[in-house]
Amino acid sequence: MIPPKDNPIWEKIVKKKIDYKFSNYILQLHVFHIQSSYAIKQMDIDKAIDELYRICTKYEVLVKNDFQKLLNEQI
Amino acid sequence: MERKLYTIAQVKQFIAEQKIMVLTGAADVLSELPEGKWIGGTIPYFMDADSGKKTNELIFVDDFSDIAEDIKIIQYDKENIKNIAKDGFDNGFSMLLLPAFTEILTEFALNSFSYDNIFTNPVLGYVTGFDLEKAGTQVAQIFNGTTAQNSNTNGIALHIKLPKTKLAQVEIINIFSQDKNSPSIIFPKDGFEQDSCIINGKEQNLVDYIKDNNIDIKFPLIEEQNGALINKSFMRIDEENKKVIFYSPIFKDREYKFAQKIENYVEKFNFATKEITDVKYSCNCILNYLYGELEGKKVNLTGATTFGEIAYQLLNQTQIYLNIINK
């Protein structure tokens, strides 16, 4: 399971407040793209979270282990 | 179907059987093929099932017939390549072939991350090339199997629709890593050609730095993209104009580092791929084939040996592969 879209973890990823490297290529690239776009104000926070959540939902089977680790690290 | 080299006669039979394929071979052999559900690209270098080899007679076959629910074959130019991901199916992937040293490749390499839906489904494939011994007399080409026509300026894509229960996953294998002792290098502009840059905070000419520090340009510059190591291979140094020309674009304000030197490419590839199974597609880079002396040697993943690899973006000196997994 990936966390719901209102979980603060999404904002932390977009704003690079969490230094976590995803284990699969699509998420590595997508997070890089989202963080870069947000940093240079090409994307606002809501759009960034929407995009990230959309891709993570599509690739849930690939990213669920990453999110389990990530959420455990946050506790 | 096993991913390996086949004769023209065998490939003609596959086309007659309506197989959905990406075909890779020399221009002369691809030109002999009839219309069908295939796209093609010119490359004469391969990692075949038994070893690395060059051939101008055989064709490497990647067959997607068993997984495709539907397909679209679309030819692209430099204006509409931005639609590559948007044109794909809701669930599937797009095999994209772009000819080397063309405007469409430059456009894709510089801008792919800004294309609509680029991360929704994998966009993967390779840059087509030619026999290096015939450079200057041959050009990179793509073939559109639906018309059996070729082009040396356009790209070609095979969009594949997957069943709802399946998901396409593309991954990369980079046998290089950033040298821990490398300086940090930041460039002031996007582009394939670079001169002045900021090295460890100090403005310097990259050509001067490479010469002064005996940097071996067989090894790439590497950028980390949130854990993914992305290579930028050196094409050549233009000493007269003090410029470095790369095979894929450098982007401004990002941090690059020199790669750590490696020796045994075969060992590196086989170690990196030892747990990878059920590969539906793979290709590797001509620079790995040449610098790693892979001709006559075997590495685990077979496929074309290309002038650049595509996995959402243009890659260099990288092996890519595709798995089809259950959702």
Side-chain angles (χ1 to χ4, degrees), chain B residues 137-208:
Chain B
T137 61
Q138 291 189 344
V139 291
Q141 297 175 57
I142 58 93
F143 283 73
N144 182 342
T146 59
T147 57
Q149 298 294 304
N150 62 328
S151 170
N152 56 27
T153 55
N154 288 351
I156 187 81
L158 170 62
H159 298 283
I160 294 179
K161 181 182 180 184
L162 288 174
K164 284 180 184 164
T165 54
K166 301 288 182 186
L167 189 67
Q169 175 190 13
V170 64
E171 294 290 341
I172 67 169
I173 296 159
N174 189 347
I175 58 173
F176 300 97
S177 56
Q178 291 183 326
D179 185 338
K180 289 184 180 115
N181 298 314
S182 169
S184 159
I185 308 167
I186 296 171
F187 295 87
K189 62 182 181 190
D190 294 347
F192 289 74
E193 293 186 9
Q194 298 289 339
D195 39 42
S196 178
C197 57
I198 306 296
I199 303 180
N200 273 352
K202 186 179 159 197
E203 187 172 353
Q204 294 182 66
N205 180 278
L206 186 59
V207 175
D208 289 342

Side-chain angles (χ1 to χ4, degrees), chain B residues 31-260:
Chain B
S31 300
E32 288 189 33
L33 299 176
E35 293 174 16
K37 296 177 179 176
W38 60 275
I39 63 170
T42 50
I43 288 284
Y45 306 95
F46 304 93
M47 183 53 62
D48 199 14
D50 56 350
S51 68
K53 61 186 66 160
K54 177 183 166 188
T55 171
N56 285 302
E57 288 82 39
L58 302 175
I59 297 169
F60 198 94
V61 177
D62 285 291
D63 173 25
F64 301 98
S65 312
D66 59 331
I67 52 163
E69 269 198 345
D70 196 1
I71 65 162
K72 288 185 264 188
I73 291 176
I74 301 177
Q75 204 157 320
Y76 290 93
D77 59 29
K78 65 178 179 174
E79 306 300 330
N80 68 2
I81 185 64
K82 62 179 181 289
N83 298 327
I84 178 70
K86 216 164 54 175
D87 287 342
F89 293 96
D90 285 347
N91 183 44
F93 58 99
S94 301
M95 297 297 309
L96 175 64
L97 311 183
L98 297 172
F101 310 117
T102 54
E103 289 182 334
I104 189 174
L105 178 62
T106 300
E107 157 57 34
F108 178 86
L110 284 168
N111 299 312
S112 67
F113 275 13
S114 69
Y115 295 170
D116 285 351
N117 296 349
I118 188 69
F119 297 106
T120 302
N121 288 305
V123 173
L124 73 155
Y126 65 86
V127 177
T128 70
F130 44 78
D131 185 340
L132 291 168
E133 289 173 19
K134 294 175 184 164
T137 61
Q138 291 189 344
V139 291
Q141 297 175 57
I142 58 93
F143 283 73
N144 182 342
T146 59
T147 57
Q149 298 294 304
N150 62 328
S151 170
N152 56 27
T153 55
N154 288 351
I156 187 81
L158 170 62
H159 298 283
I160 294 179
K161 181 182 180 184
L162 288 174
K164 284 180 184 164
T165 54
K166 301 288 182 186
L167 189 67
Q169 175 190 13
V170 64
E171 294 290 341
I172 67 169
I173 296 159
N174 189 347
I175 58 173
F176 300 97
S177 56
Q178 291 183 326
D179 185 338
K180 289 184 180 115
N181 298 314
S182 169
S184 159
I185 308 167
I186 296 171
F187 295 87
K189 62 182 181 190
D190 294 347
F192 289 74
E193 293 186 9
Q194 298 289 339
D195 39 42
S196 178
C197 57
I198 306 296
I199 303 180
N200 273 352
K202 186 179 159 197
E203 187 172 353
Q204 294 182 66
N205 180 278
L206 186 59
V207 175
D208 289 342
Y209 187 90
I210 286 169
K211 290 175 76 177
D212 292 347
N213 292 277
N214 290 319
I215 303 293
D216 186 344
I217 62 168
K218 280 195 301 190
F219 303 106
L221 283 185
I222 304 180
E223 176 193 16
E224 189 197 321
Q225 295 182 351
N226 197 255
L229 295 179
I230 306 302
N231 298 336
K232 302 291 169 179
S233 298
F234 293 90
M235 184 189 297
R236 63 187 170 86
I237 288 176
D238 176 351
E239 294 204 27
E240 194 181 327
N241 297 301
K242 285 204 163 189
K243 283 181 180 175
V244 178
I245 296 99
F246 293 90
Y247 280 107
S248 64
I250 297 290
F251 292 96
K252 71 176 180 181
D253 298 336
R254 298 189 188 171
E255 183 184 55
Y256 295 88
K257 291 192 173 180
F258 293 111
Q260 183 147 5

Side-chain angles (χ1 to χ4, degrees), chain B residues 1 12-19:
Chain B
M1 187 189 303
K12 284 182 175 174
Q13 180 60 34
F14 300 150
I15 292 171
E17 292 167 6
Q18 299 285 304
K19 299 271 188 206

Side-chain angles (χ1 to χ4, degrees), chain A residues 59-71:
Chain A
Y59 290 96
E60 183 170 355
V61 67
L62 297 178
V63 302
K64 60 187 179 188
N65 289 343
D66 276 316
F67 273 103
Q68 204 163 11
K69 280 186 206 162
L70 196 47
L71 291 168

Side-chain angles (χ1 to χ4, degrees), chain A residues 3-73:
Chain A
K5 200 156 70 172
D6 58 2
N7 188 306
I9 200 157
W10 297 103
E11 187 170 332
K12 286 181 184 174
I13 294 172
V14 171
K15 293 183 173 176
K16 290 193 189 180
K17 289 183 176 167
I18 296 173
D19 183 23
Y20 184 84
K21 311 293 186 202
F22 283 86
S23 57
N24 53 75
Y25 180 63
I26 172 63
L27 254 291
Q28 289 169 341
L29 287 200
H30 195 242
V31 168
F32 172 80
H33 172 66
I34 293 284
Q35 288 176 338
S36 307
S37 300
Y38 176 75
I40 60 170
K41 298 184 170 48
Q42 272 182 353
M43 223 180 248
D44 64 25
I45 189 67
D46 291 337
K47 173 126 195 270
I49 291 172
D50 281 351
E51 275 295 297
L52 188 55
Y53 183 79
R54 183 177 72 84
I55 294 297
C56 288
T57 304
K58 167 142 189 162
Y59 290 96
E60 183 170 355
V61 67
L62 297 178
V63 302
K64 60 187 179 188
N65 289 343
D66 276 316
F67 273 103
Q68 204 163 11
K69 280 186 206 162
L70 196 47
L71 291 168
N72 287 342
E73 283 177 14

